[in-house]
Amino acid sequence: MTKRTARAEPLSRARIVRTAVELLDTAGVRKLTFRALTERLSTGPGAIYWHVANKDELLSAATEAVVADAVSVEPGAGDTPREAIRSVALGLYEATEAHPWLAAQLAAECARSPWGAVAPRVFEALGRQVRALGMPESGWFTATSALMHYVFGVAAQNAANTAMAAALPQDASRIEYLETASRAWEALDPAAYPFTRAVAGQLRDHDDRTQFLSGVDLVLAGIVASAEGGERQG
Amino acid sequence: MTKRTARAEPLSRARIVRTAVELLDTAGVRKLTFRALTERLSTGPGAIYWHVANKDELLSAATEAVVADAVSVEPGAGDTPREAIRSVALGLYEATEAHPWLAAQLAAECARSPWGAVAPRVFEALGRQVRALGMPESGWFTATSALMHYVFGVAAQNAANTAMAAALPQDASRIEYLETASRAWEALDPAAYPFTRAVAGQLRDHDDRTQFLSGVDLVLAGIVASAEGGERQG
DNA sequence: ACCTGAACACCGTTCAAGT
DNA sequence: ACCTGAACACCGTTCAAGT
């Protein structure tokens, strides 16, 4: 058995990033520190700084690694563009479920460099299908942007629900959390929040995943409608 | 002249939050520390902790204050629902331009408590107009969520452009930044990023604000189309 | 070229003590 | 009830020194 032990594996940027993702997944952003990292990798901080410029770069690298992995799924041969878009979007959605830190980090990453390394990955995966949808080229950027922004927006919002529910005491899970949130909406000031109160029941009963895909369909419907409505625009 | 001096004004949660927003605006998230805060307010850290539980709560409060302000604009009397939605969305968009820290903080806030204090404010403002659009009640939640998520997604992405461009050396402003980003897209691997490369020119020429509103229109088109397509769904 | 680890400047938070 | 400010535990980052 020539099993390589962990401590034998040489230090490298890839290994540091992988360890950072593990730490992020198991302990959360707060616990990702250079101290924790040096311990897990059994080195000194200086060794890590040799491979990585600073903590921001490390977080960017971790985010990009996870996004790249999520978006790399090739669409099935028989998939329609619509199905392919749904599956790319769903891949990203599920990544934010699997890595609760991803959503906030995605936003932070965009703030660091808006059209940096992460956006093109998502943009490419979605855009190919937008093109396949038969959009005129002039609409590609707008349509793909809208789709991507919707997905990022959901990521920021909904993925957190899962993490939130998971953090609740024991069996008080997702459903109970939505119950609480729904009641909070019902308790809002009737004068200031009539609409939100009216919709509290739909919040309670909704399923994040279904909801997310409905939103994707809605944006897709908008893309198709805009493409058809086309030229005439006041 | 009975001008009240700053140091005479008593410490309060509101004043702390207001000072935090100022510090956030002028110096950035990194520089918002309890040290800086105590100096600006000429007190000790203990005094701040009397009014505010911890830094997370302070950031939440700052975020909510800014969002509440941005969304509180009443739609004009003659506005169509579509116009009202555009102006609410634009208000939020402009808030993320005026407060570069807002986008990332919005995401962090959602992660802290997904359906907490910030979401209902946006939800209510957008939802009223969705209702006015004549949607059937069963679609309110989905449609308003999609709209809100799109807006949040853009906030995370585009607002950063402005901050990014502003941080560039002098007159190398927005346009030059987009030029750089566009060239980076053109330099991507042709095999892996055919679509993104094809669209690099549109990235260069686009205007964030116009782009944002086009996306809002696109989602609105989807909402209307879905409402009409209605019941028949495989 | 790559790694070590002590040291530095700084941070959020606490708490006994004051008014 | 509200504020003071020293103290604590911890953090990201640096750097002279090693191999």
Side-chain angles (χ1 to χ4, degrees), chain B:
Chain B
M1 291 196 193
T2 45
K3 180 160 75 175
R4 272 172 244 140
T5 69
R7 63 180 179 82
E9 194 178 350
L11 197 57
S12 68
R13 190 183 155 96
R15 190 155 89 96
I16 293 170
V17 171
R18 201 183 333 129
T19 309
V21 171
E22 283 169 24
L23 227 34
L24 250 9
D25 286 346
T26 58
V29 212
R30 275 267 171 48
K31 292 290 180 62
L32 175 65
T33 66
F34 276 82
R35 306 275 201 269
L37 225 39
T38 54
E39 200 173 332
R40 279 276 266 256
L41 295 165
S42 47
T43 39
I48 296 176
Y49 276 94
W50 179 259
H51 295 278
V52 153
N54 51 43
K55 197 176 179 181
D56 268 5
E57 198 195 286
L58 180 60
L59 281 168
S60 293
T63 305
E64 204 207 328
V66 170
V67 169
D69 193 55
V71 170
S72 68
V73 206
E74 287 294 318
D79 283 0
T80 64
R82 207 187 92 112
E83 286 162 347
I85 286 173
R86 283 173 66 114
S87 83
V88 168
L90 204 54
L92 216 49
Y93 178 81
E94 281 168 351
T96 58
E97 271 187 329
H99 311 280
W101 50 275
L102 185 60
Q105 225 39 56
L106 221 47
E109 171 57 28
C110 287
R112 271 192 289 267
S113 74
W115 299 104
V118 169
R121 300 203 110 100
V122 180
F123 209 85
E124 179 71 26
L126 292 173
R128 287 180 188 193
Q129 306 305 327
V130 166
R131 188 179 47 190
L133 223 44
M135 286 286 287
E137 178 161 0
S138 65
W140 288 357
F141 184 74
T142 301
T144 309
S145 291
L147 213 39
M148 183 177 76
H149 288 139
Y150 170 74
V151 172
F152 279 179
V154 174
Q157 173 88 3
N158 268 5
N161 283 351
T162 315
M164 208 80 188
L168 280 184
Q170 293 297 55
D171 53 327
S173 60
R174 252 192 54 72
I175 287 165
E176 200 150 328
Y177 171 68
L178 282 179
E179 181 66 36
T180 309
S182 174
R183 258 200 287 269
W185 278 21
E186 278 161 356
L188 287 168
D189 174 19
Y193 293 94
F195 178 83
T196 305
R197 283 167 53 98
V199 123
Q202 294 183 38
L203 168 64
R204 186 195 338 253
D205 297 333
H206 92 288
D207 172 71
D208 286 346
R209 201 191 163 94
T210 311
Q211 190 66 28
F212 170 67
L213 287 174
S214 298
V216 171
D217 287 343
L218 196 145
V219 176
L220 282 174
I223 290 175
V224 172
S226 303
E228 282 164 1
E231 277 73 289
R232 46 130 210 174
Q233 164 79 322

Side-chain angles (χ1 to χ4, degrees), chain A residues 88-101:
Chain A
V88 169
L90 204 54
L92 216 49
Y93 178 81
E94 281 167 352
T96 59
E97 272 187 328
H99 311 280
W101 50 274

Side-chain angles (χ1 to χ4, degrees), chain A residues 137-158:
Chain A
E137 178 161 0
S138 65
W140 288 357
F141 184 74
T142 301
T144 308
S145 292
L147 212 39
M148 183 177 74
H149 288 139
Y150 169 74
V151 172
F152 279 179
V154 174
Q157 172 88 2
N158 267 4

Side-chain angles (χ1 to χ4, degrees), chain A residues 163-179:
Chain A
M164 207 80 188
L168 280 184
Q170 293 298 59
D171 53 328
S173 61
R174 252 192 54 72
I175 287 165
E176 200 150 329
Y177 171 67
L178 283 180
E179 181 67 36

Side-chain angles (χ1 to χ4, degrees), chain A residues 1 21 60-61 63 73 77 81-82 96 105 109 117 119 173 180 187 198 206 216 220 233:
Chain A
M1 292 195 191
V21 171
S60 293
T63 305
V73 205
R82 206 187 93 111
T96 59
Q105 224 40 54
E109 171 58 28
S173 61
T180 309
H206 92 286
V216 171
L220 282 174
Q233 164 80 321

